């Protein structure tokens, strides 16, 4: 039986948009919609450049445009090179610097444009914003990159753990195969239990009749160079509103951009942060698990409600930096949501009143058992203790969500995973008072393996009094030698409520989100016989494995009411 493939082509251009084919410097024409153009009243322009069909319900730009045009902006939305109605080669993360410049140049010359441009959007169309920053066009005055990062090109690590490379993100490889094969999108379900695992993708390409060049680069370990100009950190600063999701699968990388730019002369003065309890697809913690009525990908009323929150901060930001109708002082520098509590504001992030604390992994002999397992204790035990966990390629540890782009839609109870005998779990004592996490989280572990290469996946979960366990943050690392590793688990704003406990889980696999390790020097894509291995965690005062996180004092800032 051949693989079932759903071929998704472009949707009709809405009647209130006017499509143009805009010429780039090499003669390639890019399909470009314009909303709200009035040559008798030139206005600042909000631009989005994306690969997901500018007219699809998935990106809902007809509705987004209505919100921006109602506030006096013209809106331009473009299919990037090689996608949907646009010409050119289909290979993401290439050409966006020059295409961004040329598109802004075209906008600046139009009679309905006042020559001032801002950019807006999520994920890849956050990356196209950073590419336009790199192009350094003088008309680009502000950007609002959402759930994105500057370094997510194939073969480029989305973040640097500081002590090892990342296991390969299998969801990202599937994304390349589905989105970046040709102009259209191809949806299919793969049997990723096949060996070699690359055979599942080969079956998909055979069914489509074409290959994804980006996927082949990933399998070949060939990185793409996304910028043919300065890195965004080194470009001319423009005001930027970072819109981060605490549960976003690019959250580690996005917060890395924010914190690194805070160190750069010029950039620090024009950075703003909004951090919400959302995932990559804009689902909210307060709705999780999400009901049908709250699912904006399925329900029109939920979509309208979501879009108000989605566009509102950008409109306020552009009113300051594109229109000049409000002053920068009217915007909080940091607006962040404390999960299970609400919105707060601050001048900087991390918060000056927050303090770093550590809990040490103790009683490791119990960690391979069921919850509560080992302990997260305020002090390490004397000497050295150790625990072991196995990596079994025939019995992989399930991922926290089948699709981490929509982590919060199901927000699954992971208690069964915690109780597996091939993971380690360490839990804190329950507190009578709230514990407010507000800042970066790291796991510092002393590990080794019987294999030449091994993966370490770490999740921090909220263990409730009824025994359910739900994700707060996660991270991973691939190592090839024994020793101490530090794994970034992202930043968060999250209240651990009274009676709840922290649970730290350590595992050797995370399937299907990540490519299973071969357990050898053989390529994990090509191996037909991946090898099991045994990992050792050392802890105690001689090898202080620990969880490091940031907490607020009880007298934290008051919630910002909306």
């Amino acid at each position: 039986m051949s693989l079932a493939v759903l071929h998704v082509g472009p949707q009709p251009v809405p009647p209130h948009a006017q499509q143009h084919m805009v010429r780039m410097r090499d003669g390639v024409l890019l399909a470009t919609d314009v909303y709200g153009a009035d040559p008798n009243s030139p206005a600042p322009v909000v631009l989005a450049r994306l690969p997901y069909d500018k007219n699809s319900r998935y990106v809902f730009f007809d509705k987004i445009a209505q919100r921006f045009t109602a506030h006096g902006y013209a809106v331009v939305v473009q299919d990037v090179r090689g996608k949907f109605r646009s010409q050119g080669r289909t290979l993401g993360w290439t050409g966006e610097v020059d295409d961004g410049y040329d598109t802004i140049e075209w906008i600046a010359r139009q009679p309905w444009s006042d020559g001032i441009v801002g950019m807006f959007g999520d994920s890849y169309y956050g990356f196209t914003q950073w590419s336009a920053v790199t192009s350094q066009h003088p008309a680009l005055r502000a950007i609002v990159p959402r759930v994105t990062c500057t370094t997510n090109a194939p073969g480029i690590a989305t973040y640097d753990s500081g002590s090892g490379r990342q296991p390969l993100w299998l969801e990202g490889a599937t994304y390349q195969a589905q989105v970046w094969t040709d102009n259209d999108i191809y949806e299919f379900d793969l049997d990723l239990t096949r060996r070699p695992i690359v055979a599942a993708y080969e079956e998909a390409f055979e069914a489509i009749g074409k290959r994804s060049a980006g996927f082949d680069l990933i399998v070949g370990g060939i990185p793409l160079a996304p910028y043919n100009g300065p890195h965004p950190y080194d470009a001319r600063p423009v005001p930027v509103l970072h819109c981060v999701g605490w549960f976003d699968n690019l959250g580690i990388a996005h917060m890395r951009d924010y914190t690194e730019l805070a160190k750069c002369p010029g950039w620090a003065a024009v950075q703003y942060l909004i951090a919400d309890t959302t995932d990559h697809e804009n689902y909210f913690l307060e709705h999780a698990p999400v009901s049908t009525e709250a699912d904006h990908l399925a329900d029109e009323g939920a979509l309208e409600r979501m879009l108000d929150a989605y566009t509102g901060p950008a409109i306020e930001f552009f009113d300051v930096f594109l229109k000049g109708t409000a002053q920068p002082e009217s915007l909080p520098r940091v607006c962040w949501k404390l999960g299970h509590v609400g919105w707060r504001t601050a001048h900087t992030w991390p918060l000056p009143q927050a303090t770093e604390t550590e809990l040490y992994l103790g009683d490791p002999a119990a960690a391979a058992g069921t919850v509560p397992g080992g302990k997260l204790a305020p002090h390490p035990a004397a000497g050295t203790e150790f625990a072991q966990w196995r990596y079994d390629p025939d019995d992989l540890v399930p991922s926290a969500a089948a699709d981490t782009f929509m982590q919060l839609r199901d927000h699954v109870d992971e208690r069964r995973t915690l109780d597996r005998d091939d993971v380690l779990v360490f839990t804190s004592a329950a507190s009578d008072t709230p514990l407010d996490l507000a800042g970066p989280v790291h796991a510092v572990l002393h590990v080794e393996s019987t294999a030449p290469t091994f993966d370490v996946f770490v999740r921090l979960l909220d263990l409730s009094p009824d025994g359910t366990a739900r994700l707060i943050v996660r991270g991973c690392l691939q190592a090839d030698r024994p020793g101490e590793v530090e794994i970034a688990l992202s930043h968060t704003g999250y209240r651990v409520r009274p009676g709840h406990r922290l649970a730290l889980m350590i595992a050797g696999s995370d399937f299907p989100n990540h490519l299973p390790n071969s357990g050898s020097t053989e390529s994990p894509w090509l191996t037909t016989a991946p090898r099991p291995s045994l990992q050792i965690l050392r802890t105690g005062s001689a090898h202080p494995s620990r969880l490091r996180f940031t907490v607020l004092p009880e007298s934290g800032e008051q919630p910002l009411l909306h």
Side-chain angles (χ1 to χ4, degrees), residues 260-328:
E260 287 299 313
L261 285 168
K263 305 173 187 175
C264 297
W267 278 106
V270 291
Q271 283 201 102
Y272 295 80
L273 173 67
I274 289 183
D276 204 345
T277 54
T278 52
D279 61 18
H280 198 80
E281 294 290 358
N282 300 296
Y283 290 107
F284 293 85
L285 175 65
E286 51 264 39
H287 299 155
V290 176
S291 66
T292 301
E293 294 76 18
D295 189 345
H296 60 271
L297 292 182
D299 183 86
E300 291 302 313
L303 176 60
E304 293 292 339
R305 293 188 296 273
M306 187 277 287
L307 287 179
D308 289 338
Y310 180 83
T311 58
I315 292 168
E316 293 178 0
F317 191 71
F318 289 147
D319 283 350
V320 171
F321 292 107
L322 301 188
K323 279 188 178 180
T325 55
Q327 296 301 310

